[in-house]
């Protein structure tokens, strides 16, 4: 079902401050910047040999990432795994009794289709599934 790792999501208080480390100190180059209104986050993606770091700055305290920051502080937020067929993956996982946050796919960055599994299902790790783009 899983064909790769797309990115690691990192919750930050400020993209600008976080970029001083990821870009300024480590020399990683942002390839994509996008505000995802539906999820209440601004994102910056920094590629590293096929896997990206996704920085997530919440637009306010009442967003999922805003609540995460208040509860846990900045840090690793989720792991995004690639699947070829997101609908089929969600059907399979639902049938196996796994808890999902998203029963149906929702829009992610770069026009992708994504769905989050429940962290309880992932042994404490919030897992995002993203559909590979068919060309
Ligand atoms: Co993500």
């Amino acid at each position: 079902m899983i064909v790769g790792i797309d990115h690691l999501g990192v919750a930050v208080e400020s993209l600008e401050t976080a970029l001083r480390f990821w870009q300024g100190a480590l020399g990683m180059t942002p390839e994509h910047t996008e505000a995802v209104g539906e999820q209440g986050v601004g994102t910056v993606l920094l590629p590293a040999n096929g896997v990206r770091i996704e920085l997530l700055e919440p637009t306010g305290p009442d967003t999922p990432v805003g609540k995460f920051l208040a509860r846990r502080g900045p840090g690793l937020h989720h792991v995004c795994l690639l699947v070829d067929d997101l609908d089929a993956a969600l059907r399979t996982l639902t049938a196996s009794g796994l808890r999902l946050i998203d029963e149906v796919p929702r829009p992610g960055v770069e026009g992708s289709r994504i769905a989050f599994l429940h962290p309880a299902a992932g042994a404490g790790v919030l897992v995002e599934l993203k559909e590979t783009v068919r060309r």
Side-chain angles (χ1 to χ4, degrees), residues 12-57:
V12 303
E13 305 273 4
S14 154
L15 290 174
E16 195 187 324
T17 306
L19 282 171
R20 281 186 215 141
F21 170 68
W22 294 97
Q23 184 176 20
L26 298 185
M28 296 176 75
T29 307
E31 70 167 3
H32 186 79
T33 302
E34 183 174 336
V36 184
E38 197 202 340
Q39 292 174 48
V41 285
T43 66
V44 174
L45 287 157
L46 305 118
N49 196 26
V51 179
R52 281 101 52 91
I53 300 292
E54 179 187 61
L55 302 178
L56 304 157
E57 178 192 314

Coordinates of all heavy atoms in Angstrom, one line a residue, residues 12-57:
V12 N 5.7 24.8 13.7 CA 6.5 25.9 14.1 C 5.7 27.1 14.5 O 4.5 27.2 14.1 CB 7.5 26.3 13.0 CG1 8.4 25.1 12.5 CG2 6.8 26.9 11.8
E13 N 6.2 27.9 15.4 CA 5.5 29.1 15.8 C 5.6 30.1 14.7 O 4.6 30.9 14.5 CB 6.2 29.7 17.1 CG 6.3 28.8 18.3 CD 5.0 28.8 19.1 OE1 4.0 29.5 18.8 OE2 5.0 28.1 20.2
S14 N 6.7 30.2 14.0 CA 6.9 31.2 12.9 C 7.8 30.6 11.8 O 8.8 30.0 12.1 CB 7.6 32.4 13.6 OG 8.4 33.1 12.6
L15 N 7.2 30.6 10.6 CA 8.0 30.1 9.4 C 9.3 30.9 9.3 O 10.4 30.3 9.0 CB 7.2 30.3 8.1 CG 5.9 29.4 8.0 CD1 5.2 29.8 6.7 CD2 6.3 27.9 7.9
E16 N 9.2 32.2 9.5 CA 10.4 33.0 9.3 C 11.5 32.6 10.3 O 12.7 32.5 9.9 CB 10.0 34.5 9.6 CG 11.0 35.5 9.1 CD 10.6 36.9 9.5 OE1 9.4 37.3 9.5 OE2 11.5 37.7 9.8
T17 N 11.2 32.4 11.5 CA 12.2 32.0 12.5 C 12.7 30.6 12.2 O 13.9 30.3 12.3 CB 11.5 32.0 14.0 OG1 11.0 33.3 14.2 CG2 12.6 31.7 15.0
A18 N 11.8 29.7 11.9 CA 12.2 28.3 11.6 C 13.1 28.3 10.4 O 14.0 27.5 10.3 CB 10.9 27.4 11.3
L19 N 12.9 29.1 9.4 CA 13.7 29.1 8.2 C 15.1 29.6 8.5 O 16.1 29.2 7.7 CB 13.1 30.0 7.1 CG 11.9 29.4 6.3 CD1 11.2 30.4 5.4 CD2 12.4 28.1 5.5
R20 N 15.3 30.3 9.6 CA 16.7 30.7 9.9 C 17.5 29.4 10.2 O 18.7 29.4 10.0 CB 16.7 31.6 11.2 CG 16.3 33.0 10.8 CD 16.4 33.9 12.0 NE 15.4 35.0 12.0 CZ 14.7 35.4 13.0 NH1 15.0 35.0 14.2 NH2 13.8 36.3 12.9
F21 N 16.9 28.4 10.8 CA 17.5 27.2 11.0 C 17.6 26.3 9.8 O 18.7 26.0 9.3 CB 16.8 26.4 12.1 CG 17.3 25.0 12.3 CD1 18.6 24.7 12.8 CD2 16.5 23.9 12.0 CE1 19.1 23.4 12.9 CE2 17.0 22.6 12.1 CZ 18.3 22.3 12.6
W22 N 16.5 26.0 9.2 CA 16.4 25.0 8.1 C 17.1 25.6 6.8 O 17.8 24.8 6.1 CB 15.0 24.7 7.8 CG 14.3 23.9 8.9 CD1 13.5 24.4 9.9 CD2 14.4 22.5 9.2 NE1 13.1 23.5 10.7 CE2 13.7 22.3 10.3 CE3 15.1 21.5 8.6 CZ2 13.6 21.0 10.9 CZ3 15.0 20.2 9.1 CH2 14.2 20.0 10.3
Q23 N 16.9 26.8 6.5 CA 17.5 27.4 5.3 C 18.8 28.1 5.7 O 19.9 27.8 5.0 CB 16.5 28.4 4.7 CG 17.0 29.0 3.4 CD 16.0 30.0 2.8 OE1 15.1 30.5 3.4 NE2 16.2 30.2 1.5
G24 N 18.8 28.9 6.7 CA 20.0 29.7 7.0 C 21.1 28.9 7.5 O 22.3 29.0 7.0
A25 N 20.9 28.0 8.5 CA 22.0 27.2 9.1 C 22.2 26.0 8.3 O 23.4 25.6 8.1 CB 21.6 26.9 10.6
L26 N 21.2 25.2 7.9 CA 21.4 23.9 7.2 C 21.5 24.1 5.7 O 21.9 23.2 5.1 CB 20.2 23.0 7.5 CG 20.0 22.6 9.0 CD1 18.9 21.6 9.1 CD2 21.3 22.1 9.6
G27 N 21.1 25.3 5.2 CA 21.3 25.5 3.8 C 20.3 24.8 2.9 O 20.5 24.7 1.7
M28 N 19.1 24.4 3.4 CA 18.1 23.8 2.6 C 17.3 24.9 1.9 O 17.2 26.0 2.4 CB 17.2 23.0 3.5 CG 17.8 21.8 4.1 SD 16.8 20.8 5.2 CE 15.7 20.0 4.0
T29 N 16.9 24.6 0.6 CA 16.3 25.6 -0.2 C 14.8 25.4 -0.3 O 14.4 24.3 -0.7 CB 16.8 25.6 -1.6 OG1 18.3 25.8 -1.5 CG2 16.3 26.8 -2.4
P30 N 13.9 26.3 0.1 CA 12.5 26.1 0.0 C 12.1 26.0 -1.4 O 12.6 26.7 -2.3 CB 11.9 27.4 0.6 CG 13.0 28.0 1.4 CD 14.2 27.6 0.8
E31 N 11.2 24.9 -1.8 CA 10.8 24.8 -3.2 C 9.4 25.2 -3.4 O 8.9 25.3 -4.5 CB 11.0 23.3 -3.6 CG 10.0 22.3 -2.9 CD 10.0 20.9 -3.6 OE1 10.8 20.7 -4.5 OE2 9.2 20.1 -3.1
H32 N 8.6 25.3 -2.3 CA 7.2 25.6 -2.4 C 6.7 26.2 -1.1 O 7.0 25.8 0.0 CB 6.5 24.3 -2.7 CG 5.0 24.5 -3.0 ND1 4.6 24.8 -4.2 CD2 3.9 24.3 -2.2 CE1 3.2 24.9 -4.2 NE2 2.8 24.6 -3.0
T33 N 5.9 27.3 -1.3 CA 5.3 28.0 -0.2 C 3.8 28.1 -0.5 O 3.4 28.5 -1.6 CB 5.9 29.4 0.0 OG1 7.3 29.2 0.2 CG2 5.3 30.1 1.2
E34 N 3.0 27.7 0.5 CA 1.5 27.7 0.2 C 0.7 27.9 1.5 O 1.1 27.3 2.6 CB 1.1 26.4 -0.4 CG -0.3 26.3 -0.8 CD -0.7 25.1 -1.6 OE1 0.2 24.5 -2.3 OE2 -1.8 24.7 -1.6
A35 N -0.3 28.7 1.5 CA -1.3 28.8 2.6 C -2.4 27.8 2.3 O -3.0 27.9 1.2 CB -1.8 30.2 2.7
V36 N -2.7 26.9 3.2 CA -3.8 26.0 3.1 C -4.9 26.5 4.0 O -4.9 26.2 5.2 CB -3.4 24.5 3.4 CG1 -4.6 23.6 3.1 CG2 -2.2 24.1 2.5
G37 N -5.8 27.3 3.4 CA -6.9 27.9 4.2 C -7.7 26.9 5.0 O -8.0 27.1 6.2
E38 N -8.1 25.8 4.4 CA -9.0 24.8 5.0 C -8.3 24.2 6.3 O -9.0 23.9 7.2 CB -9.3 23.7 4.0 CG -10.5 22.9 4.4 CD -10.5 21.5 3.7 OE1 -9.8 21.3 2.7 OE2 -11.1 20.6 4.2
Q39 N -7.0 24.1 6.3 CA -6.3 23.5 7.4 C -5.8 24.6 8.3 O -5.2 24.3 9.4 CB -5.2 22.6 7.0 CG -5.7 21.3 6.3 CD -4.6 20.5 5.7 OE1 -3.7 20.2 6.4 NE2 -4.7 20.1 4.5
G40 N -5.9 25.9 8.0 CA -5.4 26.9 8.8 C -3.9 27.0 9.0 O -3.4 27.2 10.1
V41 N -3.2 26.7 8.0 CA -1.7 26.7 8.1 C -1.0 27.4 6.9 O -1.6 27.3 5.8 CB -1.1 25.3 8.2 CG1 -1.3 24.7 9.5 CG2 -1.5 24.4 7.0
G42 N 0.1 28.0 7.1 CA 1.0 28.4 6.1 C 2.1 27.3 6.1 O 2.5 26.8 7.1
T43 N 2.5 26.9 4.8 CA 3.5 25.8 4.8 C 4.7 26.2 3.9 O 4.5 27.0 2.9 CB 2.9 24.6 4.1 OG1 2.5 24.8 2.8 CG2 1.7 24.1 4.9
V44 N 5.8 25.7 4.2 CA 7.0 25.8 3.4 C 7.6 24.4 3.2 O 7.7 23.7 4.2 CB 8.1 26.8 3.9 CG1 9.3 26.7 3.1 CG2 7.6 28.2 4.0
L45 N 7.9 24.0 2.0 CA 8.4 22.7 1.8 C 9.9 22.8 1.4 O 10.3 23.6 0.5 CB 7.7 21.9 0.7 CG 6.3 21.4 1.1 CD1 5.4 21.3 -0.1 CD2 6.4 20.1 1.9
L46 N 10.8 22.0 2.1 CA 12.2 22.1 1.8 C 12.6 20.6 1.4 O 12.6 19.7 2.2 CB 13.0 22.5 3.0 CG 12.6 23.9 3.6 CD1 12.1 23.7 5.0 CD2 13.7 24.8 3.6
P47 N 13.1 20.4 0.1 CA 13.4 19.1 -0.3 C 14.8 18.7 0.1 O 15.7 19.5 0.3 CB 13.4 19.2 -1.8 CG 13.7 20.6 -2.1 CD 13.2 21.4 -0.9
A48 N 14.9 17.4 0.4 CA 16.2 16.7 0.7 C 16.2 15.4 0.0 O 15.7 14.4 0.6 CB 16.5 16.7 2.2
N49 N 16.7 15.3 -1.2 CA 16.9 14.0 -1.8 C 15.6 13.2 -1.9 O 15.5 12.0 -1.5 CB 18.0 13.1 -1.1 CG 18.4 12.0 -2.0 OD1 18.4 12.0 -3.2 ND2 18.9 10.9 -1.3
G50 N 14.5 13.8 -2.4 CA 13.2 13.1 -2.6 C 12.3 13.2 -1.4 O 11.1 13.0 -1.6
V51 N 12.7 13.5 -0.2 CA 11.9 13.6 0.9 C 11.9 15.1 1.3 O 12.9 15.7 1.2 CB 12.3 12.7 2.1 CG1 11.4 12.9 3.3 CG2 12.4 11.3 1.7
R52 N 10.8 15.6 1.7 CA 10.7 17.1 2.1 C 10.5 17.2 3.6 O 9.9 16.4 4.2 CB 9.6 17.8 1.3 CG 10.0 18.1 -0.1 CD 9.4 17.2 -1.1 NE 8.0 17.0 -1.0 CZ 7.0 17.7 -1.7 NH1 7.4 18.7 -2.4 NH2 5.8 17.4 -1.5
I53 N 10.9 18.4 4.1 CA 10.5 18.9 5.4 C 9.4 19.8 5.1 O 9.5 20.7 4.3 CB 11.7 19.6 6.1 CG1 12.9 18.6 6.4 CG2 11.2 20.2 7.5 CD1 12.6 17.5 7.3
E54 N 8.2 19.7 5.8 CA 7.1 20.6 5.6 C 6.9 21.4 6.9 O 6.5 20.8 7.9 CB 5.8 19.8 5.3 CG 4.6 20.6 5.2 CD 3.3 19.8 5.1 OE1 3.0 19.0 6.0 OE2 2.6 19.9 4.0
L55 N 7.3 22.7 6.8 CA 7.1 23.5 8.0 C 5.7 24.0 8.0 O 5.1 24.4 7.0 CB 8.1 24.7 7.9 CG 9.5 24.4 7.9 CD1 10.4 25.7 7.7 CD2 10.0 23.5 9.0
L56 N 5.1 24.0 9.2 CA 3.6 24.3 9.4 C 3.5 25.4 10.4 O 3.8 25.2 11.6 CB 2.8 23.1 9.8 CG 2.9 21.8 9.0 CD1 2.6 20.6 9.9 CD2 2.0 21.9 7.8
E57 N 3.0 26.6 10.0 CA 2.8 27.7 10.9 C 1.2 27.9 10.9 O 0.6 28.1 9.9 CB 3.5 29.0 10.5 CG 3.2 30.1 11.4 CD 3.6 31.5 10.8 OE1 4.7 31.6 10.3 OE2 2.8 32.4 10.9

